[in-house]
Every structure is written in structure tokens, then in C-alpha cells.
Amino acid sequence: MEVVPLPDPDTVARVAADAVERLVTGRPDAVLGVATGSSPLGLYRELARRRAAGTGPDYGGVTAFLLDEYVGLAADHPQAYRATIAREVAGPLGIPLVHGPDPELLPDAGSAYETLLADAGGVDLQVLGIGGDGHLAFNEPGSSLVSRTRIKTLTARTRADNARFFGSPDDVPRHVLTQGLGTILEARHLLLVALGAGKAAAVAAAVEGPLSASCPASVLQLHPHATVLVDPAAASGLTRLDYYNEVWAGKPDWQRI
Ligand code: GLP
């Protein structure tokens, strides 16, 4: 795992955008895994800014796959993740094809989504955020480290965290469909973005704690190409920070994340 401590959220967005652009430039038909939440918004806006400025690659051949989706919202509900990604990512970048787990297909929605992912050849680069309790996508603490796409029940904490997008915690759906941790591990590059002090404990547990279902994001420790981009507040719980800084500062230009 590569942990990259960066000076501020704007630099995190730029470094993440460089990685996405390098992928799409080299592979115009790339499969991009996209995450919702606040953490990747800077990345998406940076990519859109570059594309509008005419410096970014063409996304016309890219396919996007969502990590997760609420159960019980219409696909065009403004807080449905398919609508969110269409608004924040696919529209501004011009990505023509976006897939997400489809609650209409329950009880077979999980296996249907796994088939779609496999038929697309898997995800080249998966953008990830992390929940304050260490959840990854909607894999709450206790999720199997080898889980596949399935229905899950949100914890009270996640519903409270996500209440800012709804009227109140009571308006946040209780059930979701989410890629499993085993599904996420099959993406060829995992790029996790963590910002702010509220993520410090979760980042420390994921990166330096034991591999444990109690911290679902610790599953990144099993991946051969996982990159964790952190701002100073999110990095503040890490004990090996000096080492991560030394590695990043000494990285040769040809060796990208
Ligand atoms: C939700 C999403 C996750 C995201 C998490 C953190 O639970 N399903 O994919 O990582 O929120 O969100 P934020 O980046 O807004 O803190």
C-alpha cells in the first residue's frame, strides 16, 4: 500500500486527477469505478475543470461503475447514487455509460451486478472514500472481507452521517446495495481519498491497524496496488507519517502512483 500525505485537499484532487487522466489517456476504453460522498468531489471537479479547459482526455469510450446504491429511491431521485454520479461525474466528463447496482433487480441485483462487472472486464481504477467508522462503499463494520455485491443494512452512524443529503436521518434509506469487499479488491488499482480530521482514526485503523472486518477499509492491505491520498488532518493519526513522506519525496518521476 502506498500512503501519500499531501499538503491540502486541492493537491489531493490534483494528484488523484493525474492518476485518472493517465489511465484514460493510455486506455480510452477504461473502466472507471466511481464513489459518491464528499471526499472525491474535488477530484471530479478537477477532472471537469481540465476537460472544460481542453487539457483533459476524451471520456467518450469510458464506462463507469458505481460502488453502491440506496434501496427504496427511484433511479432519478436526486440522492440516488446513479443520479448523483450522472450529475457530478458522467455529465461534466462526458462519460456515456454508467452502471450501478439496480434495486429493481432484487433479489438477484447482486449477482446481476457482478455479471455486468465481469462482462466489462473488471474495473481498472476504483475511486474510494472511507466512512468515519472505516466503512468502504456501504460495507459496514463486520462485513466479510471476501463479500460480493449484496444488500446491506446501514448503521445508525452512517445514516446520521448521510442525513446532510436528506432532510433528517429518518429520511435516509435503511437498506443499500453495495459491491462487496471481495468485489472491490478485484479492481486493478484502488485509489482512496481521505480528507479531514473526522477520517483520521479510520485511516489509521485501515492503514496501520490489523486486517479486520471491524475496519472494512483495512482490506486494502490485501491489495497489490492500493494508493491512499490524505490531507494533513486525515493523516494525523498515522504513526509512520515520516516514512510515507520520505517515500513520496523520493519517488522518481517515472514511477507514478
Ligand atoms: C458513503 C458512501 C461511501 C463513502 C462514504 C464517506 O457511505 N457510500 O462510498 O466513502 O459515504 O463519505 P464522505 O466522503 O462524504 O465522508
Side-chain angles (χ1 to χ4, degrees):
M1 181 178 334
E2 180 168 36
V3 182
V4 183
L6 294 166
D8 50 60
D10 286 349
T11 311
V12 169
R14 281 198 296 275
V15 171
D18 289 347
V20 172
E21 287 196 340
R22 212 160 30 245
L23 168 70
V24 175
T25 301
R27 184 160 186 191
D29 62 346
V31 177
L32 186 61
V34 286
T36 50
S38 320
S39 308
L41 287 180
L43 158 65
Y44 300 147
R45 286 177 189 152
E46 176 66 9
L47 291 172
R49 189 191 64 73
R50 294 181 189 185
R51 182 167 183 266
T55 61
D58 180 4
Y59 292 85
V62 170
T63 304
F65 276 85
L66 271 71
L67 278 173
D68 44 14
E69 182 58 280
Y70 290 113
V71 173
L73 300 184
D76 61 352
H77 185 287
Q79 296 310 328
Y81 280 174
R82 285 161 293 179
T84 303
I85 290 297
R87 193 170 59 236
E88 303 281 354
V89 188
L93 295 185
I95 296 176
L97 202 53
V98 180
H99 296 295
D102 184 356
E104 296 281 317
L105 300 180
L106 282 166
D108 301 317
S111 54
Y113 199 55
E114 294 281 341
T115 302
L116 265 183
L117 278 162
D119 288 350
V123 171
D124 290 306
L125 185 153
Q126 177 64 58
V127 176
L128 294 166
I130 183 171
D133 59 359
H135 75 244
L136 204 59
F138 271 138
N139 293 280
E140 298 283 28
S143 293
S144 160
L145 298 175
V146 294
S147 47
R148 311 301 305 187
T149 305
R150 70 220 183 284
I151 193 164
K152 289 289 286 183
T153 301
L154 294 181
T155 62
R157 177 173 178 179
T158 298
R159 292 178 67 231
D161 284 351
N162 289 359
R164 66 190 191 281
F165 300 112
F166 294 83
S168 75
D170 285 341
D171 296 327
V172 182
R174 287 180 185 275
H175 295 106
V176 292
L177 280 163
T178 182
Q179 285 192 32
L181 296 171
T183 316
I184 293 169
L185 279 183
E186 287 175 2
R188 288 178 275 282
H189 183 194
L190 301 182
L191 183 64
L192 186 143
V193 174
L195 306 173
K199 302 296 170 67
V203 167
V207 171
E208 296 181 344
L211 175 67
S212 166
S214 293
C215 178
S218 68
V219 81
L220 263 66
Q221 295 175 28
L222 290 175
H223 197 281
H225 189 188
T227 309
V228 178
L229 305 182
V230 281
D231 72 354
S236 60
L238 294 168
T239 59
R240 289 192 289 269
L241 194 53
D242 289 349
Y243 174 68
Y244 307 137
N245 275 314
E246 181 188 339
V247 172
W248 181 244
K251 209 171 168 67
D253 276 348
W254 55 263
Q255 191 192 40
R256 310 299 187 138
I257 59 171

PDB file of all heavy atoms in Angstrom, residues 36-39 67-68 81 129-131 135 137-138 158 162 164 199, ligand 1:
ATOM      1  N   THR A  36     -19.369   7.833  -4.403  1.00  0.00           N
ATOM      2  CA  THR A  36     -20.104   9.041  -4.025  1.00  0.00           C
ATOM      3  C   THR A  36     -19.506   9.583  -2.719  1.00  0.00           C
ATOM      4  O   THR A  36     -18.445   9.156  -2.295  1.00  0.00           O
ATOM      5  CB  THR A  36     -21.586   8.713  -3.831  1.00  0.00           C
ATOM      6  OG1 THR A  36     -21.654   7.573  -2.968  1.00  0.00           O
ATOM      7  CG2 THR A  36     -22.252   8.409  -5.148  1.00  0.00           C
ATOM      8  N   GLY A  37     -20.197  10.504  -2.066  1.00  0.00           N
ATOM      9  CA  GLY A  37     -19.682  11.123  -0.845  1.00  0.00           C
ATOM     10  C   GLY A  37     -18.919  12.389  -1.169  1.00  0.00           C
ATOM     11  O   GLY A  37     -18.667  12.706  -2.336  1.00  0.00           O
ATOM     12  N   SER A  38     -18.543  13.109  -0.140  1.00  0.00           N
ATOM     13  CA  SER A  38     -17.871  14.400  -0.330  1.00  0.00           C
ATOM     14  C   SER A  38     -16.408  14.229  -0.751  1.00  0.00           C
ATOM     15  O   SER A  38     -15.868  15.078  -1.477  1.00  0.00           O
ATOM     16  CB  SER A  38     -17.879  15.202   0.971  1.00  0.00           C
ATOM     17  OG  SER A  38     -19.099  15.078   1.634  1.00  0.00           O
ATOM     18  N   SER A  39     -15.763  13.164  -0.290  1.00  0.00           N
ATOM     19  CA  SER A  39     -14.309  13.056  -0.462  1.00  0.00           C
ATOM     20  C   SER A  39     -13.843  13.165  -1.913  1.00  0.00           C
ATOM     21  O   SER A  39     -12.871  13.885  -2.176  1.00  0.00           O
ATOM     22  CB  SER A  39     -13.805  11.748   0.150  1.00  0.00           C
ATOM     23  OG  SER A  39     -14.259  11.619   1.471  1.00  0.00           O
ATOM     24  N   LEU A  67     -20.085   2.123  -6.907  1.00  0.00           N
ATOM     25  CA  LEU A  67     -19.807   1.195  -5.810  1.00  0.00           C
ATOM     26  C   LEU A  67     -21.081   0.676  -5.164  1.00  0.00           C
ATOM     27  O   LEU A  67     -21.144  -0.466  -4.727  1.00  0.00           O
ATOM     28  CB  LEU A  67     -19.029   1.911  -4.707  1.00  0.00           C
ATOM     29  CG  LEU A  67     -17.535   2.067  -4.862  1.00  0.00           C
ATOM     30  CD1 LEU A  67     -17.008   2.945  -3.740  1.00  0.00           C
ATOM     31  CD2 LEU A  67     -16.845   0.713  -4.840  1.00  0.00           C
ATOM     32  N   ASP A  68     -22.087   1.569  -5.079  1.00  0.00           N
ATOM     33  CA  ASP A  68     -23.228   1.226  -4.218  1.00  0.00           C
ATOM     34  C   ASP A  68     -24.448   2.061  -4.590  1.00  0.00           C
ATOM     35  O   ASP A  68     -24.357   2.978  -5.417  1.00  0.00           O
ATOM     36  CB  ASP A  68     -22.857   1.408  -2.741  1.00  0.00           C
ATOM     37  CG  ASP A  68     -22.086   2.699  -2.465  1.00  0.00           C
ATOM     38  OD1 ASP A  68     -22.061   3.582  -3.343  1.00  0.00           O
ATOM     39  OD2 ASP A  68     -21.514   2.824  -1.372  1.00  0.00           O
ATOM     40  N   TYR A  81     -27.663   7.295  -5.976  1.00  0.00           N
ATOM     41  CA  TYR A  81     -26.251   7.418  -6.375  1.00  0.00           C
ATOM     42  C   TYR A  81     -26.101   7.454  -7.896  1.00  0.00           C
ATOM     43  O   TYR A  81     -25.184   8.087  -8.413  1.00  0.00           O
ATOM     44  CB  TYR A  81     -25.431   6.297  -5.740  1.00  0.00           C
ATOM     45  CG  TYR A  81     -25.081   6.575  -4.281  1.00  0.00           C
ATOM     46  CD1 TYR A  81     -24.440   5.613  -3.502  1.00  0.00           C
ATOM     47  CD2 TYR A  81     -25.368   7.798  -3.690  1.00  0.00           C
ATOM     48  CE1 TYR A  81     -24.109   5.867  -2.181  1.00  0.00           C
ATOM     49  CE2 TYR A  81     -25.042   8.059  -2.372  1.00  0.00           C
ATOM     50  CZ  TYR A  81     -24.415   7.088  -1.615  1.00  0.00           C
ATOM     51  OH  TYR A  81     -24.079   7.348  -0.310  1.00  0.00           O
ATOM     52  N   GLY A 129     -13.826   6.468  -1.096  1.00  0.00           N
ATOM     53  CA  GLY A 129     -13.750   7.271   0.121  1.00  0.00           C
ATOM     54  C   GLY A 129     -13.707   6.306   1.289  1.00  0.00           C
ATOM     55  O   GLY A 129     -13.643   5.080   1.104  1.00  0.00           O
ATOM     56  N   ILE A 130     -13.759   6.839   2.481  1.00  0.00           N
ATOM     57  CA  ILE A 130     -13.793   5.977   3.675  1.00  0.00           C
ATOM     58  C   ILE A 130     -14.771   6.595   4.671  1.00  0.00           C
ATOM     59  O   ILE A 130     -14.801   7.822   4.838  1.00  0.00           O
ATOM     60  CB  ILE A 130     -12.379   5.819   4.278  1.00  0.00           C
ATOM     61  CG1 ILE A 130     -12.381   4.865   5.483  1.00  0.00           C
ATOM     62  CG2 ILE A 130     -11.771   7.160   4.666  1.00  0.00           C
ATOM     63  CD1 ILE A 130     -10.972   4.503   5.993  1.00  0.00           C
ATOM     64  N   GLY A 131     -15.590   5.770   5.279  1.00  0.00           N
ATOM     65  CA  GLY A 131     -16.501   6.273   6.300  1.00  0.00           C
ATOM     66  C   GLY A 131     -15.746   6.552   7.601  1.00  0.00           C
ATOM     67  O   GLY A 131     -14.661   5.999   7.826  1.00  0.00           O
ATOM     68  N   HIS A 135     -15.924   2.286   7.126  1.00  0.00           N
ATOM     69  CA  HIS A 135     -16.649   1.539   6.085  1.00  0.00           C
ATOM     70  C   HIS A 135     -16.157   1.928   4.693  1.00  0.00           C
ATOM     71  O   HIS A 135     -15.639   3.024   4.466  1.00  0.00           O
ATOM     72  CB  HIS A 135     -18.166   1.654   6.233  1.00  0.00           C
ATOM     73  CG  HIS A 135     -18.792   2.947   5.835  1.00  0.00           C
ATOM     74  ND1 HIS A 135     -19.444   3.775   6.724  1.00  0.00           N
ATOM     75  CD2 HIS A 135     -18.925   3.550   4.623  1.00  0.00           C
ATOM     76  CE1 HIS A 135     -19.931   4.820   6.081  1.00  0.00           C
ATOM     77  NE2 HIS A 135     -19.630   4.709   4.811  1.00  0.00           N
ATOM     78  N   ALA A 137     -17.320   1.727   0.587  1.00  0.00           N
ATOM     79  CA  ALA A 137     -18.602   1.672  -0.113  1.00  0.00           C
ATOM     80  C   ALA A 137     -19.666   1.638   0.980  1.00  0.00           C
ATOM     81  O   ALA A 137     -19.628   2.465   1.883  1.00  0.00           O
ATOM     82  CB  ALA A 137     -18.662   0.496  -1.071  1.00  0.00           C
ATOM     83  N   PHE A 138     -20.582   0.684   0.966  1.00  0.00           N
ATOM     84  CA  PHE A 138     -21.511   0.575   2.096  1.00  0.00           C
ATOM     85  C   PHE A 138     -21.262  -0.729   2.853  1.00  0.00           C
ATOM     86  O   PHE A 138     -22.179  -1.318   3.422  1.00  0.00           O
ATOM     87  CB  PHE A 138     -22.960   0.678   1.630  1.00  0.00           C
ATOM     88  CG  PHE A 138     -23.501   2.086   1.579  1.00  0.00           C
ATOM     89  CD1 PHE A 138     -24.283   2.502   0.510  1.00  0.00           C
ATOM     90  CD2 PHE A 138     -23.258   2.990   2.610  1.00  0.00           C
ATOM     91  CE1 PHE A 138     -24.808   3.802   0.461  1.00  0.00           C
ATOM     92  CE2 PHE A 138     -23.775   4.283   2.569  1.00  0.00           C
ATOM     93  CZ  PHE A 138     -24.552   4.691   1.500  1.00  0.00           C
ATOM     94  N   THR A 158     -23.935   5.703  10.033  1.00  0.00           N
ATOM     95  CA  THR A 158     -23.849   6.058   8.610  1.00  0.00           C
ATOM     96  C   THR A 158     -25.090   6.833   8.185  1.00  0.00           C
ATOM     97  O   THR A 158     -25.006   7.797   7.421  1.00  0.00           O
ATOM     98  CB  THR A 158     -23.670   4.784   7.756  1.00  0.00           C
ATOM     99  OG1 THR A 158     -22.434   4.164   8.135  1.00  0.00           O
ATOM    100  CG2 THR A 158     -23.646   5.104   6.271  1.00  0.00           C
ATOM    101  N   ASN A 162     -25.014  10.559   6.672  1.00  0.00           N
ATOM    102  CA  ASN A 162     -25.546  10.871   5.345  1.00  0.00           C
ATOM    103  C   ASN A 162     -26.835  11.694   5.398  1.00  0.00           C
ATOM    104  O   ASN A 162     -27.375  12.069   4.358  1.00  0.00           O
ATOM    105  CB  ASN A 162     -25.753   9.575   4.548  1.00  0.00           C
ATOM    106  CG  ASN A 162     -24.424   8.961   4.134  1.00  0.00           C
ATOM    107  OD1 ASN A 162     -23.360   9.514   4.431  1.00  0.00           O
ATOM    108  ND2 ASN A 162     -24.447   7.839   3.449  1.00  0.00           N
ATOM    109  N   ARG A 164     -27.137  14.668   6.025  1.00  0.00           N
ATOM    110  CA  ARG A 164     -26.954  16.008   5.453  1.00  0.00           C
ATOM    111  C   ARG A 164     -27.447  16.090   4.008  1.00  0.00           C
ATOM    112  O   ARG A 164     -27.724  17.174   3.519  1.00  0.00           O
ATOM    113  CB  ARG A 164     -25.491  16.437   5.554  1.00  0.00           C
ATOM    114  CG  ARG A 164     -24.516  15.624   4.721  1.00  0.00           C
ATOM    115  CD  ARG A 164     -23.063  15.984   5.108  1.00  0.00           C
ATOM    116  NE  ARG A 164     -22.066  15.465   4.208  1.00  0.00           N
ATOM    117  CZ  ARG A 164     -21.611  14.197   4.206  1.00  0.00           C
ATOM    118  NH1 ARG A 164     -22.110  13.331   5.074  1.00  0.00           N
ATOM    119  NH2 ARG A 164     -20.682  13.812   3.356  1.00  0.00           N
ATOM    120  N   LYS A 199     -11.741  11.717   9.569  1.00  0.00           N
ATOM    121  CA  LYS A 199     -11.315  10.451   8.956  1.00  0.00           C
ATOM    122  C   LYS A 199     -10.008   9.931   9.561  1.00  0.00           C
ATOM    123  O   LYS A 199      -9.554   8.844   9.192  1.00  0.00           O
ATOM    124  CB  LYS A 199     -11.146  10.624   7.434  1.00  0.00           C
ATOM    125  CG  LYS A 199     -12.398  11.096   6.716  1.00  0.00           C
ATOM    126  CD  LYS A 199     -13.516  10.067   6.826  1.00  0.00           C
ATOM    127  CE  LYS A 199     -14.857  10.590   6.333  1.00  0.00           C
ATOM    128  NZ  LYS A 199     -14.906  10.843   4.923  1.00  0.00           N
TER     129      LYS A 199
HETATM  130  C1  GLP B   1     -20.972   6.856   1.941  1.00  0.00           C
HETATM  131  C2  GLP B   1     -20.540   6.169   0.648  1.00  0.00           C
HETATM  132  C3  GLP B   1     -19.069   5.797   0.690  1.00  0.00           C
HETATM  133  C4  GLP B   1     -18.257   6.999   1.115  1.00  0.00           C
HETATM  134  C5  GLP B   1     -18.670   7.424   2.497  1.00  0.00           C
HETATM  135  C6  GLP B   1     -17.870   8.592   3.020  1.00  0.00           C
HETATM  136  O1  GLP B   1     -21.249   5.958   2.953  1.00  0.00           O
HETATM  137  N1  GLP B   1     -21.307   5.001   0.378  1.00  0.00           N
HETATM  138  O2  GLP B   1     -18.657   5.334  -0.585  1.00  0.00           O
HETATM  139  O3  GLP B   1     -16.877   6.674   1.107  1.00  0.00           O
HETATM  140  O4  GLP B   1     -20.040   7.796   2.441  1.00  0.00           O
HETATM  141  O5  GLP B   1     -18.421   9.778   2.536  1.00  0.00           O
HETATM  142  P1  GLP B   1     -17.745  11.193   2.618  1.00  0.00           P
HETATM  143  O6  GLP B   1     -16.661  11.195   1.613  1.00  0.00           O
HETATM  144  O7  GLP B   1     -18.833  12.155   2.285  1.00  0.00           O
HETATM  145  O8  GLP B   1     -17.239  11.343   4.007  1.00  0.00           O
END
